[in-house]
Amino acid sequence: MSNYVNPLSLVAAAPMSQQKGANGGKGSLFEALAQAWAQALDKQAETIIAKSDAINNGDDSPGAVTALTTESLKMSYLSNSSHTSISTVGSALETMARKQ
């Protein structure tokens, strides 16, 4: 039997009252999503910088170049995913606001 927990259920169940929004009030799910993506993209950028620095310092082996290429492609994937998810949630919030 698996103990798999859907990550989206954790997001849905997380209390938003502890996060501070940009205006000092309670944070929204949209702000939390944007902050989470920003942190993930920043972390990936740091990884790419480290791999790039290794190559600049003389480690231009095929393995190092392949590792940098892999991390760059991962950054592209994360960037596209963040854009898609933020755009989708923003569109959903816009739709909800129009219906109220």
Side-chain angles (χ1 to χ4, degrees):
M1 177 177 246
S2 174
N3 289 333
Y4 176 74
V5 176
N6 184 343
L8 293 177
S9 66
L10 295 175
V11 171
M16 295 302 297
S17 61
Q18 294 180 358
Q19 288 200 348
K20 297 286 184 182
N23 61 0
K26 292 180 182 177
S28 69
L29 175 65
F30 188 70
E31 288 174 326
L33 178 68
Q35 288 173 359
W37 274 118
Q39 289 173 358
L41 292 169
D42 286 347
K43 183 177 176 184
Q44 186 61 26
E46 291 170 5
T47 301
I48 290 172
I49 290 168
K51 300 282 184 187
S52 180
D53 286 345
I55 291 174
N56 285 336
N57 292 330
D59 183 14
D60 59 351
S61 66
V65 173
T66 301
L68 176 60
T69 303
T70 302
E71 296 300 333
S72 297
L73 290 171
K74 184 177 176 182
M75 179 67 158
S76 176
Y77 172 78
L78 289 172
S79 179
N80 288 334
S81 296
S82 71
H83 171 74
T84 301
S85 66
I86 290 173
S87 295
T88 302
V89 171
S91 178
L93 290 173
E94 181 182 347
T95 301
M96 282 180 19
R98 260 191 263 129
K99 292 186 177 187
Q100 287 185 356

